[in-house]
Amino acid sequence: MAFDNYTKAEFIEKFENRIHQQEKTLVVTANPEIVMYAKDNPKYKTLLSNEADYITADGIGVVKAGEILKTPIKERVTGYDLFLDLLNMANQKHLSIYLIGAKQEIIELAVKRVREEYPNISLAGYRNGYFDLDDQTVQQAIIDKAPDMVFAALGFPRQEYFLADLKHKLNKGYLMGIGGSFDVFSGITKRAPVWMQDLHLEWFYRLLKEPTRFKRMLVLPKFIQEVKRVGKR
Ligand code: UDP
C-alpha cells in the first residue's frame, strides 16, 4: 500500500486547495487492520489503489512499519484528527458538510455538537450508518445536496466501498471514512488521554475500554510479522 508521506498540516493544506478547486477527493486513513485486510482482499486492495487520492498512516503500527522498511513516515495522521481540523476549516470558510454513520442517537449528538461549536458550517444533511449499501436513496440524498465534504463513519471496509461508489456520482466533494469517530466526537466514547497518545498507547487504552476488541487486535502482531518478512526481502 502506498502511503502519502505528509504531516497532518501538509495534508490539510492539500485538502484545502482541492476543496477550493472543487476537485473530488477520497481520503483513506489506513491503520494496520486496514493494511492487513487489503492484503487478503483483492477487491478492497484494488479499490484503495484505484480510488483513494490520499492514504494516510493511521496508527503507530504503520509508522513503525515505515521505520522497519526504511521508508520512514513523517507522522501518524488519524481520521479523527483530520476530521477536527477539517471542521475548523469548514467553519472558517462557511463550507457545507454531510455526516453519515454510527447509531442514530450518536449521529444526533454529533450533529448537535457541530451546530453548537461550528456555527458557520452549513449542515447539508446527516443519517445513521445502518442502511443497505445497495440502497441508492442514501447516496441520492447526498448527491442532491452536493456538499463540500462528506464524512462517513461506517467502519472499514464499508465506508470505503460506500464512498468510492459515491465519488463516481458526485461532481465535487471531499470524502473521508472516519471509522468510529462519531462515537468519540459525540462524547460517548472517550479517546485515550494525551499522555497515552504521546506514548503511542492509544491502542492499549482502547483495548482496556473495549476488551471485545481483543480479537480484532490479534491482527497487529500478524501485521508486524508481515512487515518484518517484507523488510527482509
Ligand atoms: N457502523 C455503522 N454502520 C455499520 C457498522 C458500523 O455506521 O453497518 C459504525 C459504528 O456504529 C461505529 C463505526 O461504524 O460508529 C465503526 O467503529 P469502529 O470503532 O469499528 O471503527 P474504527 O475506527 O476502529 O475503524
Side-chain angles (χ1 to χ4, degrees):
M1 191 176 298
F3 288 93
D4 291 288
N5 189 15
Y6 301 116
T7 63
K8 186 179 63 143
E10 289 166 345
F11 272 118
I12 291 289
E13 198 185 321
K14 285 177 195 298
F15 299 160
E16 191 166 354
N17 284 333
R18 286 177 73 108
I19 293 166
H20 185 68
Q21 309 288 336
Q22 303 206 337
E23 222 175 321
K24 287 193 267 188
T25 307
L26 175 59
V27 176
V28 176
T29 65
N31 58 20
E33 258 186 297
I34 290 190
V35 175
M36 290 306 276
Y37 185 81
K39 184 177 160 284
D40 296 332
N41 290 269
K43 188 177 158 205
Y44 188 66
K45 190 176 179 181
T46 307
L47 180 138
L48 294 191
S49 46
N50 291 352
E51 307 291 349
D53 298 285
Y54 293 94
I55 300 182
T56 82
D58 182 350
I60 195 60
V62 182
V63 175
K64 286 269 175 251
E67 281 169 25
I68 293 170
L69 299 176
K70 306 211 166 35
T71 48
I73 289 171
K74 286 180 183 167
E75 66 183 6
R76 178 172 89 121
V77 178
T78 70
Y80 189 68
D81 291 331
L82 285 177
F83 174 56
L84 293 184
D85 283 12
L86 289 165
L87 284 179
N88 277 326
M89 185 208 295
N91 195 45
Q92 276 166 22
K93 302 197 155 204
H94 297 248
L95 301 179
S96 63
I97 69 170
Y98 199 105
L99 303 180
I100 183 161
K103 297 196 187 103
Q104 184 63 21
E105 59 271 27
I106 301 267
I107 184 75
E108 279 174 15
L109 286 170
V111 161
K112 187 166 170 275
R113 183 167 168 198
V114 168
R115 289 199 170 123
E116 282 169 9
E117 292 183 23
Y118 307 88
N120 299 326
I121 288 182
S122 151
L123 189 70
Y126 68 91
R127 69 153 295 143
N128 67 53
Y130 294 84
F131 56 89
D132 187 343
L133 280 185
D134 292 329
D135 179 354
Q136 296 300 315
T137 62
V138 175
Q139 290 197 2
Q140 197 55 49
I142 302 176
I143 296 164
D144 290 346
K145 300 282 184 185
D148 296 306
M149 304 177 186
V150 179
F151 297 102
L154 308 171
F156 85 95
R158 188 172 154 80
Q159 60 200 17
E160 282 75 35
Y161 285 125
F162 177 76
L163 291 176
D165 194 30
L166 180 65
K167 185 183 163 197
H168 287 284
K169 299 172 189 163
L170 286 170
N171 294 321
K172 65 160 195 183
Y174 173 94
L175 316 178
M176 179 166 75
I178 53 174
S181 290
F182 292 160
D183 302 73
V184 177
F185 186 73
S186 66
I188 295 297
T189 303
K190 292 269 174 294
R191 232 186 135 178
V194 173
W195 68 267
M196 264 186 135
Q197 291 184 37
D198 288 347
L199 288 174
H200 305 307
L201 289 174
E202 189 153 25
W203 62 272
F204 183 60
Y205 178 86
R206 292 189 82 176
L207 181 62
L208 292 180
K209 289 279 170 187
E210 295 170 69
T212 51
R213 293 183 83 89
F214 181 68
K215 244 183 100 196
R216 284 177 61 174
M217 284 187 175
L218 288 176
V219 76
L220 292 174
K222 283 197 196 126
F223 170 77
I224 290 296
Q225 231 174 31
E226 176 65 17
V227 170
K228 289 192 170 148
R229 193 180 68 76
V230 174
K232 280 202 195 107
R233 272 195 207 145

